[in-house]
Amino acid sequence: MSTKKLKEMLLKLPGLELPERSEHVAWAQLVEVTGITPAIMAELAELGWLDPVKTNADNYLFTVRDVYRIQKLMRLSNDLDVNITGASIIVDLMARIEELELEVEKLHRLC
């Protein structure tokens, strides 16, 4: 799912209390879209893989990029029975591969 489609979907969720232009997603919307549990969230935060923004009202906000990454992580964990630590490493490696592919593509265009 593209980031644009994900943003559109998140903005349509009921109970969304953020302005339309926000690049952040509240905890309730994150759970609804990804199925993440507080225990997994705590593990990811402990690993330093996620660093949500804490509001004055003790709510946590996440970026759309976080949502996308968590969706990938949860699919790996659930579908392939990979533990959370392993899934987080795989997601990071997949992102790095995408970055390198884009860089190679740019270099090919220069030649």
Side-chain angles (χ1 to χ4, degrees), residues 7 34 75:
K7 282 182 185 179
T34 65
R75 277 196 312 269

Side-chain angles (χ1 to χ4, degrees), residues 93-110:
L93 289 173
M94 289 170 58
R96 183 67 180 135
I97 289 169
E98 289 174 14
E99 290 171 11
L100 291 171
E101 286 174 340
L102 289 173
E103 198 170 314
V104 167
E105 187 178 308
K106 288 178 186 176
L107 290 172
H108 278 284
R109 281 184 270 174
L110 291 175

Side-chain angles (χ1 to χ4, degrees), residues 1 4-6 17 43 45 52 105 110:
M1 178 181 304
K4 183 178 179 180
K5 287 181 183 177
L6 183 60
E17 299 169 5
E43 188 175 344
E105 187 178 308
L110 291 175

Side-chain angles (χ1 to χ4, degrees), residues 43-72:
E43 188 175 344
L44 293 173
E46 192 174 299
L47 289 170
W49 199 74
L50 282 179
D51 188 22
V53 175
K54 190 173 183 180
T55 67
N56 292 339
D58 287 338
N59 293 320
Y60 290 98
L61 299 178
F62 302 84
T63 65
V64 173
R65 181 177 177 270
D66 289 336
V67 175
Y68 185 68
R69 291 174 69 217
I70 292 171
Q71 284 180 320
K72 284 184 177 182

Side-chain angles (χ1 to χ4, degrees), residues 15-98:
L16 187 63
E17 299 169 5
L18 299 172
E20 276 193 39
R21 294 183 188 160
S22 176
E23 290 294 321
H24 290 90
V25 177
W27 169 253
Q29 285 75 37
L30 181 80
V31 170
E32 187 171 335
V33 173
T34 65
I36 193 170
T37 64
I40 294 172
M41 176 58 197
E43 188 175 344
L44 293 173
E46 192 174 299
L47 289 170
W49 199 74
L50 282 179
D51 188 22
V53 175
K54 190 173 183 180
T55 67
N56 292 339
D58 287 338
N59 293 320
Y60 290 98
L61 299 178
F62 302 84
T63 65
V64 173
R65 181 177 177 270
D66 289 336
V67 175
Y68 185 68
R69 291 174 69 217
I70 292 171
Q71 284 180 320
K72 284 184 177 182
L73 179 130
M74 296 304 289
R75 277 196 312 269
L76 287 166
S77 181
N78 295 332
D79 296 350
L80 301 177
D81 200 27
V82 177
N83 68 29
I84 296 302
T85 304
S88 68
I89 292 168
I90 292 169
V91 171
D92 288 343
L93 289 173
M94 289 170 58
R96 183 67 180 135
I97 289 169
E98 289 174 14

